[in-house]
Amino acid sequence: MTIDTFQAIADPNRRHLLEELRRRPQTVNELAAGLPISRPAVSQHLKALLDSGLVTAESRGTSRIYAVRTDGFMHINLWVDQFWS
């Protein structure tokens, strides 16, 4: 299922996750340490970000490493840019 990128970034927890991932790729456990929500809730937010194309996930051993997918932000960039012309 695909989630609209604007819907994905509407949630403050997801925006926080994106800001953390902008710094460096991280695991769910690393990301959950910075939020007042459970690890399963962080996983659900990451799934929404994955489904919207804003992050990627790579399996390494028993961990999944999440990272920002910069080309996933193109739709948002194009929409915002129209207001600057």
Side-chain angles (χ1 to χ4, degrees), residues 35-70:
L35 285 169
I37 59 175
S38 67
R39 196 201 64 72
V42 170
S43 292
Q44 288 178 347
H45 285 300
L46 287 168
K47 177 161 180 12
L49 293 171
L50 275 167
D51 290 346
S52 68
L54 296 174
V55 300
T56 61
E58 176 187 331
S59 294
R60 289 188 198 157
T62 59
S63 296
R64 288 186 71 168
I65 310 298
Y66 292 87
V68 168
R69 184 175 165 227
T70 54

Side-chain angles (χ1 to χ4, degrees), residues 2-16 18 45 48-55 71-84:
T2 301
I3 294 179
D4 179 72
T5 51
F6 291 100
Q7 233 181 335
I9 63 170
D11 185 280
N13 290 314
R14 291 183 194 145
R15 289 193 306 270
H16 175 82
L18 288 169
H45 285 300
L49 293 171
L50 275 167
D51 290 346
S52 68
L54 296 174
V55 300
D71 60 333
F73 286 87
M74 187 56 66
H75 175 71
I76 295 170
N77 285 341
L78 291 172
W79 188 83
V80 170
D81 279 350
Q82 71 183 335
F83 295 97
W84 299 110

Side-chain angles (χ1 to χ4, degrees), residues 14-33:
R14 291 183 194 145
R15 289 193 306 270
H16 175 82
L17 292 171
L18 288 169
E19 289 168 11
E20 289 298 312
L21 292 173
R22 185 178 55 84
R23 291 178 179 86
R24 67 180 174 86
Q26 297 181 54
T27 65
V28 173
N29 289 335
E30 291 170 322
L31 291 164

